[in-house]
Amino acid sequence: MSETPRFDALVIGAGIAGLQAAVDLADQGFKVAIVERDPSIGGAMIALSKVFPTLDCASCITTPKMAAVARHPNITTFTYTEVLSVGRAGDRFVASVLSKPRYVDEEACIGCRKCEYACPVEVVDEFDGRLGARRAAYIPFTTAIPQTALIDADNCTLCGACVRACPTDAVVLDQRPREWQLEATAVVAATGWKLTPVGAKPQYGGGEITNVLEPTQMERLLAPHGPYGRVIRPSDGKIPESVAYVQCAGSRDQTLGVSYCSRVCCMYAIKQAMLLSGSLPIADITIYYMDIRAFGKGYEEFYRSAQAMGIEFVKGKVARLTENDDQSVTVRVERLDQFGQVEERRHDLVVLSLGMLPGEDVRQRFDLEVAEDGFVMTPQPKDAPCRTTVDGIFVAGTASGPKDIVDTIVEAGAAATEASLYISKMIAAAETATAASSADVTSPAADRVEVKV
Amino acid sequence: MAEDAAPKIGVYVCHCGGNISDIADPETVARFASGLPGVAVARTNMFMCSDPGQKLIADDIQAGLVDRVVVAACSPKLHELTFRSVLQRNGLNPYLYEHANIREQVSWATSDHAEATAKSESIVAAAVAKAGRLQPLDPIVVETTPCAAVLGAGVAGLRAARDLAQAGIEVALVEKTAALGGNVAKLDRLFPNQESAGELIGRLVDEVLHDERITLYTLASIDRAEGYVGNFTLHLRQKAGGVVVDRAARLNGRTIGAYRPFEGFMIGDHGAAEEGQNGDDERAVVIEAGALVVATGFEHYTPTKGEYGYERLPQVVTLPDFIELMAGVEPGSRLEHDGRPIKSVGFIHCVGSRQVEGVNKPQADGEINEYCSRVCCTATLAAICDLQEKCPGVAVYDFYQDIRAYGRGHEEYYEKASKGGAVFVRFAGAEPPAVAKAPAGDPCLVTVRCKDGLTWGEEVEAGVDLLVLAVGMTPSDVSTLVDSLKLPVGTDRFLLEVHPKLRPVELAVNGVLVAGASQGPKDVTEATATASAAAAKAMTLLSSGRIELDPFVATVDSQRCEGHGLCVEECAYPGALVLTEENGATRAIVNAALCTGCGACVAVCPTNAIDVAGWTLGQYEAMVDALLAEPQEVTP
């Protein structure tokens, strides 16, 4: 591209927050660039099974928003592209971005997956929580957008099977990363979250116990199109007869440096427990917790129906997890409801209710300040929760702290409003400046979509 | 498309990633559909709503294979619009689409596989029968009033009004009291950053009062509301002393109010209002608006007489009372209440929230408040920290069920309160603490007894000089608005959004948006976020000056209509159906913008002169015939 492409807004991250903010801005007539580092848009939500408190399937909520972004005339989507830096240039921001090589010509690929079927290399699939496998040439998941294959260069053996299989000669093995720039008047940072590490606590097996799962892995086991199509124990395929949840396994724990509450773990554990009761009707399900934080709309009612379904809630902080010879896991817990007695109970499968960490350290890319918790700092948390320390850069979703999907989507709408007002203000200022300087100079806003002010 | 050409129906059966295909077999259903009359193609996909799924339909339309579409998938509430827009983008009239619900109505409701597949086939057959009789329809286009009405001038309403005005939209801001700032203005410092509530409200009020696009009405309540998206009419009653701050009042240039702690930003008390607007009598005001933002907020739960000693023991107060009391306490000074020194304070959480059937007294509607009020845990902890800081010697007992300090910076209050020596006692919802007057001679005034879940169910008793009830939130009374616009309300009595994730700030009545705690308990951060999100929706609605409405409205065949007028009597929507004289004959006519397409008129018409477009009697008959048809033998 010879000229720097220019947008009204740059949305960084195409998870549910970024998707919602992009649609809300584009619906108002603004030109939006949405940049996603993964090969598909959709973020963490698209990998979930069902979502609380309505138990809608996550795909049913996410895929239409993904499709709305992909086909919106005012949105340009850049996937497999990282934002390297964002800096201010006059009244705009200039972002340096890096488009990573897919080794597939995006224009030519028709998404037929013949390369995937031909590829002989099997790789652990991160999307399926490392419980399943994918090929080195692949489309990330069924509902990925774009439906464009990519080749995982780290694992590719250069055997050429995909090249031979491709009906449109789309495989380009000598593609190079491309660094380029784009300009935008406003920026929405929707850089999301990542799980607290499963191996952080040696008392919980340090990540070495096979049947101690991350919650996102359980999401995949419960997802109808997940790795096994049903819930089985990863170590040996046994159908679990008892499943336990260890709450606050990555949050409210100063030894992990995560003193805050991650807001979602109580509810996702309850939700998974309810879904497990459906798919494993005879299994015993226990949730070991400190406080049940069912604070959102309809959440307390959800918690009560889980209790009514027979899910056992045990108050106590789990002290230790140990693996047994039969690959079950022993949970050592002080029963506050049983005179403080220390009890050891065996479960076939244990899920650690891990918390949320910032998706990335934004300081490396932006001039943004972060708070002590590592999330983007919001200097006006009460009346302007999407504002950051930089005028013109707004934040949405879990980039500014743990949040559930409902709160994330609402906040993305709020970030869109903030960005919209900011962009209108900048356009108006530019028009005034132009009109004042000379009538002959073309307005810098002339190529923009008309915005009602 | 030629009028007489036989329809070419495409049927697309969704697996819904297993939600459907784990029970009913989409392949069998598609095979069955391909044998139905008029069906040109029948296909299946893992997720029809995904991009690849939509592309299947688009490709078939582009290839000229289909000119009508049936998708058998989830509820039409979720994705009917998604698929209609696929038709539109590919050059077909979007109303040549029929949705078959085989998820909520089949796979989620039927456990037997064969039965579910057969039921799916019947539903698809009915949809196909209707699809063959669909006619292209045009949406009803209405001009919109370029103004939004924001109801309630608490923190959410102020924020929504400010956002809309800054986006260039005229705003009518309606407040039922004389003050701006709502419940937030009655607080002292706000968690998590200890910002002054007065300063925060002052900042928003300043923006609102100085934006000439906003017209403010105080002491104004809603008598009646009518209309539809783009064109709502609100009938207000403004009490004597109510103020109108509009462009003219602003030109006047005088101070128009001031903040009073624990009351709010008072408007009109300072002789600022224009003369004539500050009359002695009530007056009626009519407002036209294209969109409504309902930000009517909450009221603190009022404990029943005797609930935890409330109104029986003078030492029992609510958390808002306590916050006001503490605001007047200088650090290091002696804490007093009711003229007595206070050496120990108890706090009880979940008063009016997380209630248990049979334990707590029901509300006026006979229901209990099952919901969590979300803010009281952290608000209580923040009040405890304030108390510990100002009056370090005072003992604190905190009776709770779960500490829900979920938000950013909330957990810190919990830790600080614990480190400051607060004693936490955990009760179960079914066994709430018992409060009694302390026996004579006891050093304390009130005793709180409770089974403590933290000390293995031990019965504990604490004597306190002051007992603070952390009262929850209940919705403000918006019944006139709810009744006149038929707004949906949840079982918790708060306004009910269309869908918490798909349309979280929209109500089922198009053009009515919800902000703040009128939707459910929220803290200030969450209330302002919903306000801005609602503003985003209103901005989109009002930006183009026109709105397209679904064409599913009643149509009258004036040849058949004999002017009996039964339809007009039956119609529940004022103005939607009226009788007029037409060439000397009485005929019914429909105002398409007001008609909701409910079909009540169709049922009573003695001459079958009325049909609802998109849902005609002929289409219904075809569907019923298809549903009742003998199962067909399908050749594989």
Side-chain angles (χ1 to χ4, degrees), chain B residues 232-540:
Chain B
F232 291 104
T233 306
L234 296 176
H235 300 268
L236 307 180
R237 180 168 305 277
Q238 196 171 27
K239 283 188 198 151
V243 172
V244 180
V245 181
D246 54 9
R247 285 188 171 81
R250 285 189 178 92
L251 281 176
N252 170 302
R254 283 181 286 173
T255 321
I256 41 183
Y259 178 69
R260 281 197 211 145
F262 296 97
E263 284 183 50
F265 198 99
M266 306 304 294
I267 300 289
D269 266 6
H270 297 257
E274 279 294 283
E275 277 182 34
Q277 288 168 357
N278 206 4
D280 295 331
D281 299 319
E282 277 199 348
R283 59 186 207 112
V285 180
V286 176
I287 293 173
E288 307 279 343
L292 304 182
V293 179
V294 185
T296 46
F298 74 95
E299 276 166 25
H300 294 289
Y301 169 80
T302 310
T304 54
K305 194 169 179 184
E307 185 176 1
Y308 297 119
Y310 188 71
E311 286 182 336
R312 291 237 164 88
L313 304 173
Q315 298 81 12
V316 178
V317 299
T318 66
L319 183 59
D321 296 338
F322 182 72
I323 291 171
E324 192 171 347
L325 170 73
M326 284 307 297
V329 175
E330 289 299 317
S333 69
R334 210 168 69 149
L335 180 62
E336 283 186 8
H337 175 258
D338 213 15
R340 290 166 179 271
I342 304 296
K343 296 201 195 80
S344 60
V345 184
F347 292 84
I348 299 180
H349 290 243
C350 301
V351 178
S353 314
R354 301 184 68 188
Q355 292 182 325
V356 177
E357 191 119 30
V359 174
N360 297 102
K361 208 171 157 185
Q363 305 298 297
D365 62 354
E367 301 288 325
I368 51 159
N369 294 341
E370 251 195 23
Y371 57 86
C372 162
S373 288
R374 200 167 171 149
V375 299
C376 352
C377 275
T378 307
T380 304
L381 295 169
I384 291 175
C385 292
D386 189 34
L387 171 63
Q388 289 170 334
E389 235 170 77
K390 286 178 174 166
C391 316
V394 175
V396 173
Y397 301 92
D398 182 294
F399 298 86
Y400 77 104
Q401 297 193 64
D402 293 283
I403 292 291
R404 293 183 168 172
Y406 62 87
R408 202 176 190 186
H410 294 195
E411 195 76 29
E412 284 80 345
Y413 288 103
Y414 189 16
E415 204 196 328
K416 209 172 150 198
S418 310
K419 285 196 174 149
V423 175
F424 287 87
V425 178
R426 184 170 193 259
F427 68 91
E431 291 178 279
V435 176
K437 193 175 171 185
D442 202 284
C444 293
L445 302 168
V446 176
T447 60
V448 186
R449 289 169 61 86
C450 172
K451 214 172 181 184
D452 179 19
L454 298 178
T455 51
W456 320 311
E458 190 185 13
E459 193 77 41
V460 296
E461 186 179 301
V464 295
D465 298 325
L466 187 66
L467 182 62
V468 180
L469 306 183
V471 289
M473 292 187 181
T474 56
S476 296
D477 179 15
V478 282
S479 49
T480 49
L481 193 65
V482 164
D483 293 343
S484 47
L485 289 177
K486 303 191 163 47
L487 301 180
V489 174
T491 49
D492 56 7
R493 280 171 256 107
F494 288 94
L495 292 171
L496 183 65
E497 65 287 336
V498 175
H499 188 284
K501 296 184 181 71
L502 288 171
R503 293 164 70 187
V505 293
E506 295 167 69
L507 299 182
V509 177
N510 219 344
V512 184
L513 307 161
V514 62
S518 56
Q519 183 188 20
K522 282 184 186 67
D523 76 2
V524 179
T525 304
E526 293 148 0
T528 50
T530 52
S532 291
K537 293 293 168 204
M539 281 149 70
T540 307

Side-chain angles (χ1 to χ4, degrees), chain A residues 167-185:
Chain A
T168 62
D169 292 329
V171 180
V172 192
L173 290 173
D174 59 353
Q175 236 177 28
R176 298 244 162 258
R178 192 170 63 87
E179 200 178 318
W180 52 285
Q181 292 193 321
L182 66 84
E183 288 184 3
T185 307

Side-chain angles (χ1 to χ4, degrees), chain A residues 52 56 64 71 224 252 289 291-294 297 300 304 340 373 375-376 382-383 407 417 452, chain B residues 17 54 79 89 159 191 203 354-355 374 402-405 408 411 456 495 499 501 519 528 532 543:
Chain A
F52 60 81
D56 282 308
R71 59 164 186 252
R252 302 182 68 191
Y289 72 99
D291 295 284
I292 290 292
R293 294 188 164 173
K297 185 167 181 171
E300 178 72 18
R304 290 191 184 185
D373 57 15
F375 291 93
V376 174
K382 302 316 278 185
D383 58 335
D407 289 347
T417 294
K452 292 180 97 74
Chain B
Q54 294 185 31
H79 287 321
R89 284 201 310 280
R159 174 75 207 196
F191 63 77
R203 212 161 49 224
R354 301 184 68 188
Q355 292 182 325
R374 200 167 171 149
D402 293 283
I403 292 291
R404 293 183 168 172
R408 202 176 190 186
E411 195 76 29
W456 320 311
L495 292 171
H499 188 284
K501 296 184 181 71
Q519 183 188 20
T528 50
S532 291
S543 63

Side-chain angles (χ1 to χ4, degrees), chain A residues 39-99:
Chain A
S40 169
I41 59 175
M45 186 177 171
I46 191 67
L48 303 180
S49 55
K50 293 186 178 179
V51 284
F52 60 81
T54 45
L55 291 182
D56 282 308
C57 73
S59 293
C60 306
I61 310 292
T62 324
T63 51
K65 294 214 195 224
M66 290 162 70
V69 161
R71 59 164 186 252
H72 204 295
N74 288 338
I75 302 177
T76 314
T77 310
F78 302 97
T79 52
Y80 217 33
T81 298
E82 300 221 20
V83 175
L84 301 175
S85 68
V86 176
R88 194 186 275 284
D91 56 356
R92 302 201 185 98
F93 293 96
V94 177
S96 291
V97 297
L98 179 79
S99 289

